[in-house]
Amino acid sequence: MLSIKKNSTGTGMPWNEWADHFIVVEGSLARTLGRYVRRGLILKSECDDYAQELRLTLFENWSSVFSKYDPDRGDLGVYLRVYFRSRLFDLVAKQYGRPLFEPLDTEVFCAADFGGDFVLDELVPVLEAGLLFLGLTTPKWRLLLKVYSFQCLSMDDLRLYAPGLGRVCLRQYLRPFSVPYSLRSDNENMALIYPLLCQVEAHYSEADSVRRLLATKVRKLRDYLNKRSGYKFD
């Protein structure tokens, strides 16, 4: 049984507050861990250990964490999932001895196959409009957005973008992206997917130019969401 104590700075959560928010805390924790088990960042067998670490961190820093929460910007569950995700990344990065790469809040990809289990339903139409407005709904950009946000790819993702290439050819591009790859940098991932772009596109810029263009589009999408939703994406 985990023993939780108020820390020496007096910023921990009183037991009555813990009880009041227990359902929201546990629900947010379960959804965060479940998401990153599915994405391959952590193993299912590790969830209990990470859950105890995250509960303890929240409990000891509750006053500080809660003081930054603005109910007008969203519900507590969303806020806690963002907090748990950040702390989880810290724990995993410490385990592997290097920072993790998450260039854009993966909350952004909540429409279609862009991570729909992590964002309030009310944000989905805003995001879909933003993706359409910025021309990010084509097979090419859907594929690159998935790579950018470290989502595992399937053969269907590649065939949608490159229907003229055979399975044997596509399999070589699928292999490095069909298993968890969040410990690689976006530069490394772009270098791996770039040869496929060259095969499909008659004329294509160098890999670094593609990466910069994608980063620009993601930044514009983030700005679009910040202006049109009640939430902050940074």
Side-chain angles (χ1 to χ4, degrees):
M1 174 67 70
L2 176 65
S3 176
I4 302 178
K5 299 178 181 179
K6 194 170 184 178
N7 65 11
S8 58
T9 61
T11 60
M13 181 197 291
W15 281 109
N16 62 323
E17 287 192 37
W18 182 264
D20 290 342
H21 298 288
F22 177 79
I23 294 178
V24 176
V25 169
E26 290 299 308
S28 299
L29 183 57
R31 290 185 67 179
T32 302
L33 293 174
R35 178 178 180 81
Y36 288 103
V37 166
R38 291 191 297 275
R39 292 189 63 193
L41 181 68
I42 60 176
L43 300 175
K44 187 173 182 180
S45 60
E46 299 175 317
C47 281
D48 287 344
D49 291 336
Y50 280 121
Q52 291 200 49
E53 291 278 359
L54 293 171
R55 286 191 195 98
L56 180 59
T57 299
L58 176 63
F59 190 91
E60 293 184 333
N61 297 281
W62 176 256
S63 294
S64 174
V65 173
F66 197 77
S67 67
K68 300 174 184 177
Y69 167 59
D70 181 0
D72 294 331
R73 302 301 298 273
D75 67 36
L76 181 60
V78 173
Y79 176 77
L80 288 177
R81 292 200 295 275
V82 173
Y83 172 80
F84 282 139
R85 181 189 61 194
S86 178
R87 300 290 77 76
L88 176 63
F89 272 39
D90 290 343
L91 291 171
V92 177
K94 183 177 180 181
Q95 176 183 345
Y96 285 99
R98 60 175 289 186
L100 298 182
F101 295 89
E102 182 102 326
L104 173 71
D105 279 358
T106 50
E107 286 178 79
V108 169
F109 302 105
C110 63
D113 47 4
F114 296 142
D117 61 333
F118 201 67
V119 180
L120 294 175
D121 291 341
E122 66 196 62
L123 292 182
V124 173
V126 180
L127 173 60
E128 290 177 334
L131 292 169
L132 184 63
F133 177 75
L134 293 169
L136 293 172
T137 58
T138 64
K140 178 180 73 177
W141 290 112
R142 290 169 69 92
L143 177 67
L144 291 177
L145 283 171
K146 279 195 167 186
V147 172
Y148 193 80
S149 58
F150 303 107
Q151 296 191 40
C152 289
L153 302 182
S154 68
M155 181 61 75
D156 288 341
D157 293 320
L158 299 183
R159 296 184 71 179
L160 184 64
Y161 170 60
L165 299 182
R167 292 181 66 89
V168 175
C169 178
L170 292 177
R171 195 172 291 121
Q172 64 179 312
Y173 299 113
L174 178 63
R175 191 173 298 114
F177 295 103
S178 62
V179 294
Y181 56 95
S182 59
L183 293 180
R184 293 199 302 257
S185 70
D186 57 337
N187 286 337
E188 293 171 317
N189 289 325
M190 185 57 67
L192 289 169
I193 201 68
Y194 177 69
L196 174 62
L197 303 180
C198 292
Q199 277 197 263
V200 176
E201 310 283 336
H203 302 285
Y204 219 91
S205 305
E206 61 184 21
D208 193 53
S209 297
V210 178
R211 183 187 61 80
R212 290 197 301 269
L213 178 59
L214 177 59
T216 298
K217 286 181 173 288
V218 168
R219 185 175 65 253
K220 289 181 178 180
L221 178 59
R222 181 188 297 118
D223 292 341
Y224 183 97
L225 293 172
N226 283 336
K227 292 177 181 178
R228 291 166 174 79
S229 74
Y231 300 85
K232 180 68 175 178
F233 296 87
D234 49 31

